[in-house]
Amino acid sequence: MVYDLPQLCARLDIPVPALRSALASPEFRGVNTLQLAGDTDLCFADGADQIPAVQHSGAAAVLVHDSFPVVSGPLLIRVAEPRASFFLLAESFRPTSEVQGIHPSAVIDPGAVLGEGVAVGACAVLADGVRVGARCTIGPGVYLGPGVTLGADSVIEANAALHRDTSVGKRCIVHSGTVIGGDGFGFHWDGHAHRKVPQLGRVVIEDDVDIGCNCCVDRATLGETRIGRGAKIDNLVQIAHNTDIGAHVIMAGQSGVAGSSRVGEGAVIGGQVAVSDHVAVGAGARLGGQSGVTKDVPPGAAMFGTPARPVKDTLRELAALAQLPGLLKAFKRQQQELDALRERCAELERRA
């Protein structure tokens, strides 16, 4: 994508900057950071602390707040929300998918149904009963098992696997290496051995969900494992069987939710957080990184630590813990002084 200045301003619905309106318009061929930008790149600056970076940037233009000071350097384009405007434009520079059309090495069962404009990469396998919506992209090496359905405009990146009966909504992205619909971790001790519990349910992923690389979303034992609309899942996340992840939930890398737990709408789960089984995390709750959640979390609560407790309580405990070495030294000193006093008293009693 290439923008000239009038096109860019039209996209942002702002007037062409007055000083440049009658001049030759620069071309914008990409987006970049202030430090790395070249003379055809567009950048943004959030605050006045970035003035030096703006002045020394080689960018063609920088999106800034209306209140940003007048400085020398690149053209300043003033907008209400520079960050949001920048990402709106950055979407236009997304590289075109490498997957175009149906690759001859793809294996597509005659019982699979593909919508208009679907692209399927090399060595992908689509089983019987697969239903793929319009304009979906199926990357190289992807496996779509029997009965898998994809909504329109979804992307399944290279080497992801969606097992039988998985349902994925519209405009979803499943990144490379992720496995959806593998068996849940269910075993029963019969007195002699761990016997596998059949995992007969499925996974349902609603619209506009983004799942990172190398995640695992297990099928339900019975019923559904569900991820709500708009949820964003980072890399290396584990979502166990029969879990319900609410709409617009954020899960950061290496976090995990054990079986039959519920995460409410809009909750934020930090990196390496572990949520135990059969736990309810309330809507809008925030769980700090590396927390261990073993009990229900109220809606809107901010929790941290292992076991997870209210953030203020945990921070007070950590502050007290940091004082422990000094307190131990003081205790030992006081103990030595007390022992010396006892010896002195005993000596005085013997002399009396």
Side-chain angles (χ1 to χ4, degrees), residues 10-48:
R11 180 72 190 272
L12 296 176
D13 194 25
I14 59 174
V16 177
L19 294 178
R20 288 290 187 96
S21 60
L23 303 178
S25 199
E27 284 189 341
F28 303 96
R29 295 179 175 271
V31 292
N32 215 325
T33 66
L34 290 166
Q35 292 77 15
L36 299 178
D39 59 6
T40 61
D41 287 335
L42 179 72
C43 304
F44 79 99
D46 261 338

PDB file of all heavy atoms in Angstrom, residues 10-48:
ATOM      1  N   ALA A  10      -7.275  11.820   4.256  1.00  0.00           N
ATOM      2  CA  ALA A  10      -8.647  11.400   3.994  1.00  0.00           C
ATOM      3  C   ALA A  10      -8.977  10.134   4.782  1.00  0.00           C
ATOM      4  O   ALA A  10     -10.079   9.993   5.325  1.00  0.00           O
ATOM      5  CB  ALA A  10      -8.849  11.161   2.506  1.00  0.00           C
ATOM      6  N   ARG A  11      -8.009   9.227   4.872  1.00  0.00           N
ATOM      7  CA  ARG A  11      -8.232   7.991   5.635  1.00  0.00           C
ATOM      8  C   ARG A  11      -8.465   8.304   7.113  1.00  0.00           C
ATOM      9  O   ARG A  11      -9.244   7.635   7.793  1.00  0.00           O
ATOM     10  CB  ARG A  11      -7.025   7.066   5.475  1.00  0.00           C
ATOM     11  CG  ARG A  11      -7.133   5.738   6.226  1.00  0.00           C
ATOM     12  CD  ARG A  11      -8.147   4.830   5.562  1.00  0.00           C
ATOM     13  NE  ARG A  11      -8.442   3.676   6.385  1.00  0.00           N
ATOM     14  CZ  ARG A  11      -7.750   2.528   6.363  1.00  0.00           C
ATOM     15  NH1 ARG A  11      -6.728   2.399   5.539  1.00  0.00           N
ATOM     16  NH2 ARG A  11      -8.101   1.525   7.132  1.00  0.00           N
ATOM     17  N   LEU A  12      -7.774   9.315   7.631  1.00  0.00           N
ATOM     18  CA  LEU A  12      -7.923   9.707   9.027  1.00  0.00           C
ATOM     19  C   LEU A  12      -9.052  10.705   9.236  1.00  0.00           C
ATOM     20  O   LEU A  12      -9.321  11.099  10.365  1.00  0.00           O
ATOM     21  CB  LEU A  12      -6.611  10.300   9.549  1.00  0.00           C
ATOM     22  CG  LEU A  12      -5.409   9.362   9.589  1.00  0.00           C
ATOM     23  CD1 LEU A  12      -4.167  10.120  10.025  1.00  0.00           C
ATOM     24  CD2 LEU A  12      -5.661   8.196  10.529  1.00  0.00           C
ATOM     25  N   ASP A  13      -9.668  11.156   8.150  1.00  0.00           N
ATOM     26  CA  ASP A  13     -10.763  12.128   8.216  1.00  0.00           C
ATOM     27  C   ASP A  13     -10.327  13.421   8.899  1.00  0.00           C
ATOM     28  O   ASP A  13     -11.000  13.950   9.786  1.00  0.00           O
ATOM     29  CB  ASP A  13     -11.962  11.528   8.949  1.00  0.00           C
ATOM     30  CG  ASP A  13     -13.228  12.352   8.743  1.00  0.00           C
ATOM     31  OD1 ASP A  13     -13.305  13.053   7.707  1.00  0.00           O
ATOM     32  OD2 ASP A  13     -14.129  12.301   9.596  1.00  0.00           O
ATOM     33  N   ILE A  14      -9.152  13.942   8.476  1.00  0.00           N
ATOM     34  CA  ILE A  14      -8.654  15.224   8.979  1.00  0.00           C
ATOM     35  C   ILE A  14      -8.250  16.076   7.788  1.00  0.00           C
ATOM     36  O   ILE A  14      -7.955  15.558   6.705  1.00  0.00           O
ATOM     37  CB  ILE A  14      -7.447  15.035   9.922  1.00  0.00           C
ATOM     38  CG1 ILE A  14      -6.297  14.327   9.201  1.00  0.00           C
ATOM     39  CG2 ILE A  14      -7.839  14.285  11.177  1.00  0.00           C
ATOM     40  CD1 ILE A  14      -5.029  14.247  10.017  1.00  0.00           C
ATOM     41  N   PRO A  15      -8.228  17.412   7.948  1.00  0.00           N
ATOM     42  CA  PRO A  15      -7.806  18.271   6.843  1.00  0.00           C
ATOM     43  C   PRO A  15      -6.334  18.040   6.496  1.00  0.00           C
ATOM     44  O   PRO A  15      -5.522  17.704   7.355  1.00  0.00           O
ATOM     45  CB  PRO A  15      -8.013  19.695   7.388  1.00  0.00           C
ATOM     46  CG  PRO A  15      -8.892  19.528   8.573  1.00  0.00           C
ATOM     47  CD  PRO A  15      -8.626  18.175   9.131  1.00  0.00           C
ATOM     48  N   VAL A  16      -6.002  18.234   5.228  1.00  0.00           N
ATOM     49  CA  VAL A  16      -4.595  18.179   4.839  1.00  0.00           C
ATOM     50  C   VAL A  16      -3.869  19.312   5.554  1.00  0.00           C
ATOM     51  O   VAL A  16      -4.331  20.455   5.564  1.00  0.00           O
ATOM     52  CB  VAL A  16      -4.442  18.337   3.315  1.00  0.00           C
ATOM     53  CG1 VAL A  16      -2.964  18.351   2.928  1.00  0.00           C
ATOM     54  CG2 VAL A  16      -5.169  17.217   2.592  1.00  0.00           C
ATOM     55  N   PRO A  17      -2.732  19.042   6.222  1.00  0.00           N
ATOM     56  CA  PRO A  17      -2.008  20.100   6.928  1.00  0.00           C
ATOM     57  C   PRO A  17      -1.751  21.311   6.041  1.00  0.00           C
ATOM     58  O   PRO A  17      -1.299  21.185   4.907  1.00  0.00           O
ATOM     59  CB  PRO A  17      -0.695  19.409   7.327  1.00  0.00           C
ATOM     60  CG  PRO A  17      -1.072  17.964   7.447  1.00  0.00           C
ATOM     61  CD  PRO A  17      -2.099  17.728   6.365  1.00  0.00           C
ATOM     62  N   ALA A  18      -2.084  22.487   6.557  1.00  0.00           N
ATOM     63  CA  ALA A  18      -2.078  23.701   5.743  1.00  0.00           C
ATOM     64  C   ALA A  18      -0.732  23.982   5.096  1.00  0.00           C
ATOM     65  O   ALA A  18      -0.659  24.405   3.941  1.00  0.00           O
ATOM     66  CB  ALA A  18      -2.507  24.884   6.606  1.00  0.00           C
ATOM     67  N   LEU A  19       0.348  23.749   5.832  1.00  0.00           N
ATOM     68  CA  LEU A  19       1.667  24.092   5.290  1.00  0.00           C
ATOM     69  C   LEU A  19       2.059  23.220   4.112  1.00  0.00           C
ATOM     70  O   LEU A  19       2.927  23.577   3.337  1.00  0.00           O
ATOM     71  CB  LEU A  19       2.723  23.974   6.396  1.00  0.00           C
ATOM     72  CG  LEU A  19       2.589  24.973   7.545  1.00  0.00           C
ATOM     73  CD1 LEU A  19       3.674  24.718   8.584  1.00  0.00           C
ATOM     74  CD2 LEU A  19       2.715  26.397   7.015  1.00  0.00           C
ATOM     75  N   ARG A  20       1.447  22.046   3.989  1.00  0.00           N
ATOM     76  CA  ARG A  20       1.828  21.142   2.915  1.00  0.00           C
ATOM     77  C   ARG A  20       0.754  21.013   1.840  1.00  0.00           C
ATOM     78  O   ARG A  20       0.962  20.321   0.863  1.00  0.00           O
ATOM     79  CB  ARG A  20       2.110  19.756   3.492  1.00  0.00           C
ATOM     80  CG  ARG A  20       3.407  19.661   4.298  1.00  0.00           C
ATOM     81  CD  ARG A  20       4.627  19.774   3.381  1.00  0.00           C
ATOM     82  NE  ARG A  20       5.860  19.516   4.106  1.00  0.00           N
ATOM     83  CZ  ARG A  20       6.461  18.332   4.144  1.00  0.00           C
ATOM     84  NH1 ARG A  20       5.930  17.315   3.511  1.00  0.00           N
ATOM     85  NH2 ARG A  20       7.573  18.179   4.821  1.00  0.00           N
ATOM     86  N   SER A  21      -0.385  21.650   2.021  1.00  0.00           N
ATOM     87  CA  SER A  21      -1.498  21.418   1.112  1.00  0.00           C
ATOM     88  C   SER A  21      -1.192  21.819  -0.315  1.00  0.00           C
ATOM     89  O   SER A  21      -1.705  21.231  -1.266  1.00  0.00           O
ATOM     90  CB  SER A  21      -2.747  22.155   1.606  1.00  0.00           C
ATOM     91  OG  SER A  21      -2.496  23.550   1.670  1.00  0.00           O
ATOM     92  N   ALA A  22      -0.358  22.845  -0.508  1.00  0.00           N
ATOM     93  CA  ALA A  22      -0.050  23.310  -1.859  1.00  0.00           C
ATOM     94  C   ALA A  22       1.294  22.782  -2.366  1.00  0.00           C
ATOM     95  O   ALA A  22       1.716  23.121  -3.455  1.00  0.00           O
ATOM     96  CB  ALA A  22      -0.035  24.837  -1.887  1.00  0.00           C
ATOM     97  N   LEU A  23       1.954  21.959  -1.547  1.00  0.00           N
ATOM     98  CA  LEU A  23       3.277  21.474  -1.915  1.00  0.00           C
ATOM     99  C   LEU A  23       3.199  20.043  -2.432  1.00  0.00           C
ATOM    100  O   LEU A  23       2.196  19.360  -2.296  1.00  0.00           O
ATOM    101  CB  LEU A  23       4.203  21.529  -0.695  1.00  0.00           C
ATOM    102  CG  LEU A  23       4.365  22.908  -0.041  1.00  0.00           C
ATOM    103  CD1 LEU A  23       5.258  22.794   1.177  1.00  0.00           C
ATOM    104  CD2 LEU A  23       4.955  23.904  -1.031  1.00  0.00           C
ATOM    105  N   ALA A  24       4.287  19.608  -3.008  1.00  0.00           N
ATOM    106  CA  ALA A  24       4.360  18.222  -3.462  1.00  0.00           C
ATOM    107  C   ALA A  24       4.159  17.299  -2.264  1.00  0.00           C
ATOM    108  O   ALA A  24       4.745  17.504  -1.205  1.00  0.00           O
ATOM    109  CB  ALA A  24       5.712  17.964  -4.111  1.00  0.00           C
ATOM    110  N   SER A  25       3.343  16.305  -2.440  1.00  0.00           N
ATOM    111  CA  SER A  25       2.963  15.453  -1.327  1.00  0.00           C
ATOM    112  C   SER A  25       3.960  14.318  -1.137  1.00  0.00           C
ATOM    113  O   SER A  25       4.365  13.670  -2.089  1.00  0.00           O
ATOM    114  CB  SER A  25       1.584  14.874  -1.623  1.00  0.00           C
ATOM    115  OG  SER A  25       0.994  14.407  -0.469  1.00  0.00           O
ATOM    116  N   PRO A  26       4.389  14.070   0.109  1.00  0.00           N
ATOM    117  CA  PRO A  26       5.275  12.921   0.337  1.00  0.00           C
ATOM    118  C   PRO A  26       4.517  11.615   0.156  1.00  0.00           C
ATOM    119  O   PRO A  26       3.299  11.565   0.264  1.00  0.00           O
ATOM    120  CB  PRO A  26       5.707  13.096   1.785  1.00  0.00           C
ATOM    121  CG  PRO A  26       4.598  13.845   2.418  1.00  0.00           C
ATOM    122  CD  PRO A  26       4.063  14.760   1.357  1.00  0.00           C
ATOM    123  N   GLU A  27       5.265  10.554  -0.122  1.00  0.00           N
ATOM    124  CA  GLU A  27       4.671   9.229  -0.209  1.00  0.00           C
ATOM    125  C   GLU A  27       4.990   8.447   1.067  1.00  0.00           C
ATOM    126  O   GLU A  27       6.072   8.540   1.618  1.00  0.00           O
ATOM    127  CB  GLU A  27       5.219   8.462  -1.412  1.00  0.00           C
ATOM    128  CG  GLU A  27       4.649   8.899  -2.728  1.00  0.00           C
ATOM    129  CD  GLU A  27       5.067   7.966  -3.842  1.00  0.00           C
ATOM    130  OE1 GLU A  27       6.052   7.232  -3.675  1.00  0.00           O
ATOM    131  OE2 GLU A  27       4.393   7.985  -4.893  1.00  0.00           O
ATOM    132  N   PHE A  28       3.989   7.690   1.524  1.00  0.00           N
ATOM    133  CA  PHE A  28       4.150   6.861   2.705  1.00  0.00           C
ATOM    134  C   PHE A  28       4.074   5.402   2.256  1.00  0.00           C
ATOM    135  O   PHE A  28       3.054   4.938   1.766  1.00  0.00           O
ATOM    136  CB  PHE A  28       3.051   7.156   3.730  1.00  0.00           C
ATOM    137  CG  PHE A  28       3.010   8.598   4.140  1.00  0.00           C
ATOM    138  CD1 PHE A  28       2.128   9.490   3.534  1.00  0.00           C
ATOM    139  CD2 PHE A  28       3.867   9.079   5.115  1.00  0.00           C
ATOM    140  CE1 PHE A  28       2.101  10.820   3.899  1.00  0.00           C
ATOM    141  CE2 PHE A  28       3.838  10.411   5.494  1.00  0.00           C
ATOM    142  CZ  PHE A  28       2.953  11.288   4.882  1.00  0.00           C
ATOM    143  N   ARG A  29       5.178   4.696   2.408  1.00  0.00           N
ATOM    144  CA  ARG A  29       5.260   3.313   1.940  1.00  0.00           C
ATOM    145  C   ARG A  29       5.368   2.311   3.084  1.00  0.00           C
ATOM    146  O   ARG A  29       5.482   1.106   2.859  1.00  0.00           O
ATOM    147  CB  ARG A  29       6.441   3.144   0.989  1.00  0.00           C
ATOM    148  CG  ARG A  29       6.284   3.951  -0.291  1.00  0.00           C
ATOM    149  CD  ARG A  29       7.475   3.786  -1.220  1.00  0.00           C
ATOM    150  NE  ARG A  29       7.229   4.469  -2.486  1.00  0.00           N
ATOM    151  CZ  ARG A  29       6.642   3.913  -3.545  1.00  0.00           C
ATOM    152  NH1 ARG A  29       6.245   2.642  -3.482  1.00  0.00           N
ATOM    153  NH2 ARG A  29       6.450   4.590  -4.653  1.00  0.00           N
ATOM    154  N   GLY A  30       5.375   2.796   4.310  1.00  0.00           N
ATOM    155  CA  GLY A  30       5.478   1.887   5.438  1.00  0.00           C
ATOM    156  C   GLY A  30       5.319   2.620   6.753  1.00  0.00           C
ATOM    157  O   GLY A  30       5.165   3.838   6.801  1.00  0.00           O
ATOM    158  N   VAL A  31       5.366   1.866   7.842  1.00  0.00           N
ATOM    159  CA  VAL A  31       5.308   2.410   9.195  1.00  0.00           C
ATOM    160  C   VAL A  31       6.520   1.893   9.960  1.00  0.00           C
ATOM    161  O   VAL A  31       7.054   0.826   9.669  1.00  0.00           O
ATOM    162  CB  VAL A  31       4.000   2.002   9.906  1.00  0.00           C
ATOM    163  CG1 VAL A  31       2.798   2.675   9.279  1.00  0.00           C
ATOM    164  CG2 VAL A  31       3.819   0.491   9.899  1.00  0.00           C
ATOM    165  N   ASN A  32       6.944   2.677  10.961  1.00  0.00           N
ATOM    166  CA  ASN A  32       8.139   2.274  11.688  1.00  0.00           C
ATOM    167  C   ASN A  32       8.217   3.035  13.008  1.00  0.00           C
ATOM    168  O   ASN A  32       7.386   3.903  13.293  1.00  0.00           O
ATOM    169  CB  ASN A  32       9.389   2.532  10.839  1.00  0.00           C
ATOM    170  CG  ASN A  32      10.467   1.484  11.061  1.00  0.00           C
ATOM    171  OD1 ASN A  32      10.633   0.979  12.174  1.00  0.00           O
ATOM    172  ND2 ASN A  32      11.206   1.165  10.013  1.00  0.00           N
ATOM    173  N   THR A  33       9.251   2.713  13.787  1.00  0.00           N
ATOM    174  CA  THR A  33       9.516   3.462  15.013  1.00  0.00           C
ATOM    175  C   THR A  33      10.184   4.783  14.660  1.00  0.00           C
ATOM    176  O   THR A  33      10.753   4.949  13.572  1.00  0.00           O
ATOM    177  CB  THR A  33      10.436   2.668  15.951  1.00  0.00           C
ATOM    178  OG1 THR A  33      11.724   2.532  15.325  1.00  0.00           O
ATOM    179  CG2 THR A  33       9.854   1.287  16.242  1.00  0.00           C
ATOM    180  N   LEU A  34      10.132   5.721  15.591  1.00  0.00           N
ATOM    181  CA  LEU A  34      10.782   7.011  15.361  1.00  0.00           C
ATOM    182  C   LEU A  34      12.271   6.845  15.108  1.00  0.00           C
ATOM    183  O   LEU A  34      12.858   7.551  14.278  1.00  0.00           O
ATOM    184  CB  LEU A  34      10.561   7.921  16.577  1.00  0.00           C
ATOM    185  CG  LEU A  34       9.131   8.435  16.783  1.00  0.00           C
ATOM    186  CD1 LEU A  34       8.981   9.027  18.175  1.00  0.00           C
ATOM    187  CD2 LEU A  34       8.778   9.472  15.724  1.00  0.00           C
ATOM    188  N   GLN A  35      12.899   5.896  15.795  1.00  0.00           N
ATOM    189  CA  GLN A  35      14.341   5.730  15.689  1.00  0.00           C
ATOM    190  C   GLN A  35      14.757   5.088  14.363  1.00  0.00           C
ATOM    191  O   GLN A  35      15.832   5.388  13.831  1.00  0.00           O
ATOM    192  CB  GLN A  35      14.860   4.875  16.858  1.00  0.00           C
ATOM    193  CG  GLN A  35      14.772   5.542  18.218  1.00  0.00           C
ATOM    194  CD  GLN A  35      13.360   5.545  18.791  1.00  0.00           C
ATOM    195  OE1 GLN A  35      12.479   4.821  18.312  1.00  0.00           O
ATOM    196  NE2 GLN A  35      13.136   6.359  19.814  1.00  0.00           N
ATOM    197  N   LEU A  36      13.942   4.218  13.818  1.00  0.00           N
ATOM    198  CA  LEU A  36      14.330   3.441  12.637  1.00  0.00           C
ATOM    199  C   LEU A  36      13.687   3.919  11.342  1.00  0.00           C
ATOM    200  O   LEU A  36      14.014   3.407  10.271  1.00  0.00           O
ATOM    201  CB  LEU A  36      13.976   1.961  12.854  1.00  0.00           C
ATOM    202  CG  LEU A  36      14.659   1.269  14.039  1.00  0.00           C
ATOM    203  CD1 LEU A  36      14.172  -0.166  14.148  1.00  0.00           C
ATOM    204  CD2 LEU A  36      16.172   1.310  13.891  1.00  0.00           C
ATOM    205  N   ALA A  37      12.800   4.885  11.425  1.00  0.00           N
ATOM    206  CA  ALA A  37      12.027   5.295  10.251  1.00  0.00           C
ATOM    207  C   ALA A  37      12.895   5.931   9.169  1.00  0.00           C
ATOM    208  O   ALA A  37      13.861   6.645   9.453  1.00  0.00           O
ATOM    209  CB  ALA A  37      10.918   6.260  10.668  1.00  0.00           C
ATOM    210  N   GLY A  38      12.511   5.672   7.924  1.00  0.00           N
ATOM    211  CA  GLY A  38      13.118   6.326   6.777  1.00  0.00           C
ATOM    212  C   GLY A  38      12.203   7.382   6.193  1.00  0.00           C
ATOM    213  O   GLY A  38      11.117   7.655   6.735  1.00  0.00           O
ATOM    214  N   ASP A  39      12.604   7.962   5.060  1.00  0.00           N
ATOM    215  CA  ASP A  39      11.883   9.129   4.537  1.00  0.00           C
ATOM    216  C   ASP A  39      10.580   8.788   3.828  1.00  0.00           C
ATOM    217  O   ASP A  39       9.919   9.673   3.283  1.00  0.00           O
ATOM    218  CB  ASP A  39      12.794   9.943   3.625  1.00  0.00           C
ATOM    219  CG  ASP A  39      13.314   9.146   2.436  1.00  0.00           C
ATOM    220  OD1 ASP A  39      12.870   7.988   2.244  1.00  0.00           O
ATOM    221  OD2 ASP A  39      14.169   9.673   1.701  1.00  0.00           O
ATOM    222  N   THR A  40      10.175   7.519   3.807  1.00  0.00           N
ATOM    223  CA  THR A  40       8.839   7.161   3.308  1.00  0.00           C
ATOM    224  C   THR A  40       8.009   6.483   4.395  1.00  0.00           C
ATOM    225  O   THR A  40       6.975   5.896   4.097  1.00  0.00           O
ATOM    226  CB  THR A  40       8.947   6.229   2.083  1.00  0.00           C
ATOM    227  OG1 THR A  40       9.617   5.025   2.467  1.00  0.00           O
ATOM    228  CG2 THR A  40       9.684   6.902   0.933  1.00  0.00           C
ATOM    229  N   ASP A  41       8.458   6.574   5.640  1.00  0.00           N
ATOM    230  CA  ASP A  41       7.755   5.915   6.747  1.00  0.00           C
ATOM    231  C   ASP A  41       6.907   6.895   7.548  1.00  0.00           C
ATOM    232  O   ASP A  41       7.220   8.092   7.643  1.00  0.00           O
ATOM    233  CB  ASP A  41       8.753   5.260   7.706  1.00  0.00           C
ATOM    234  CG  ASP A  41       9.374   4.003   7.128  1.00  0.00           C
ATOM    235  OD1 ASP A  41       8.733   3.374   6.259  1.00  0.00           O
ATOM    236  OD2 ASP A  41      10.501   3.655   7.531  1.00  0.00           O
ATOM    237  N   LEU A  42       5.867   6.351   8.139  1.00  0.00           N
ATOM    238  CA  LEU A  42       4.985   7.088   9.033  1.00  0.00           C
ATOM    239  C   LEU A  42       5.184   6.574  10.455  1.00  0.00           C
ATOM    240  O   LEU A  42       5.317   5.372  10.676  1.00  0.00           O
ATOM    241  CB  LEU A  42       3.531   6.889   8.609  1.00  0.00           C
ATOM    242  CG  LEU A  42       2.451   7.567   9.460  1.00  0.00           C
ATOM    243  CD1 LEU A  42       2.478   9.067   9.234  1.00  0.00           C
ATOM    244  CD2 LEU A  42       1.081   6.996   9.130  1.00  0.00           C
ATOM    245  N   CYS A  43       5.214   7.492  11.436  1.00  0.00           N
ATOM    246  CA  CYS A  43       5.393   7.129  12.848  1.00  0.00           C
ATOM    247  C   CYS A  43       4.315   7.825  13.681  1.00  0.00           C
ATOM    248  O   CYS A  43       3.498   8.585  13.161  1.00  0.00           O
ATOM    249  CB  CYS A  43       6.766   7.562  13.357  1.00  0.00           C
ATOM    250  SG  CYS A  43       8.150   6.914  12.401  1.00  0.00           S
ATOM    251  N   PHE A  44       4.370   7.573  14.987  1.00  0.00           N
ATOM    252  CA  PHE A  44       3.502   8.309  15.903  1.00  0.00           C
ATOM    253  C   PHE A  44       4.269   8.605  17.183  1.00  0.00           C
ATOM    254  O   PHE A  44       5.242   7.920  17.526  1.00  0.00           O
ATOM    255  CB  PHE A  44       2.217   7.537  16.212  1.00  0.00           C
ATOM    256  CG  PHE A  44       2.368   6.441  17.214  1.00  0.00           C
ATOM    257  CD1 PHE A  44       2.005   6.629  18.547  1.00  0.00           C
ATOM    258  CD2 PHE A  44       2.869   5.200  16.842  1.00  0.00           C
ATOM    259  CE1 PHE A  44       2.149   5.622  19.471  1.00  0.00           C
ATOM    260  CE2 PHE A  44       3.003   4.180  17.762  1.00  0.00           C
ATOM    261  CZ  PHE A  44       2.649   4.388  19.086  1.00  0.00           C
ATOM    262  N   ALA A  45       3.822   9.648  17.882  1.00  0.00           N
ATOM    263  CA  ALA A  45       4.397  10.008  19.177  1.00  0.00           C
ATOM    264  C   ALA A  45       3.248  10.275  20.140  1.00  0.00           C
ATOM    265  O   ALA A  45       2.311  11.011  19.815  1.00  0.00           O
ATOM    266  CB  ALA A  45       5.286  11.240  19.055  1.00  0.00           C
ATOM    267  N   ASP A  46       3.338   9.679  21.330  1.00  0.00           N
ATOM    268  CA  ASP A  46       2.253   9.784  22.300  1.00  0.00           C
ATOM    269  C   ASP A  46       2.330  11.021  23.186  1.00  0.00           C
ATOM    270  O   ASP A  46       1.321  11.582  23.579  1.00  0.00           O
ATOM    271  CB  ASP A  46       2.237   8.541  23.191  1.00  0.00           C
ATOM    272  CG  ASP A  46       1.204   7.530  22.729  1.00  0.00           C
ATOM    273  OD1 ASP A  46       0.267   7.929  22.025  1.00  0.00           O
ATOM    274  OD2 ASP A  46       1.346   6.350  23.075  1.00  0.00           O
ATOM    275  N   GLY A  47       3.563  11.447  23.539  1.00  0.00           N
ATOM    276  CA  GLY A  47       3.667  12.524  24.507  1.00  0.00           C
ATOM    277  C   GLY A  47       4.862  13.414  24.288  1.00  0.00           C
ATOM    278  O   GLY A  47       5.732  13.160  23.438  1.00  0.00           O
ATOM    279  N   ALA A  48       4.921  14.502  25.082  1.00  0.00           N
ATOM    280  CA  ALA A  48       5.987  15.487  24.935  1.00  0.00           C
ATOM    281  C   ALA A  48       7.361  14.917  25.277  1.00  0.00           C
ATOM    282  O   ALA A  48       8.380  15.476  24.864  1.00  0.00           O
ATOM    283  CB  ALA A  48       5.688  16.705  25.810  1.00  0.00           C
TER     284      ALA A  48
END
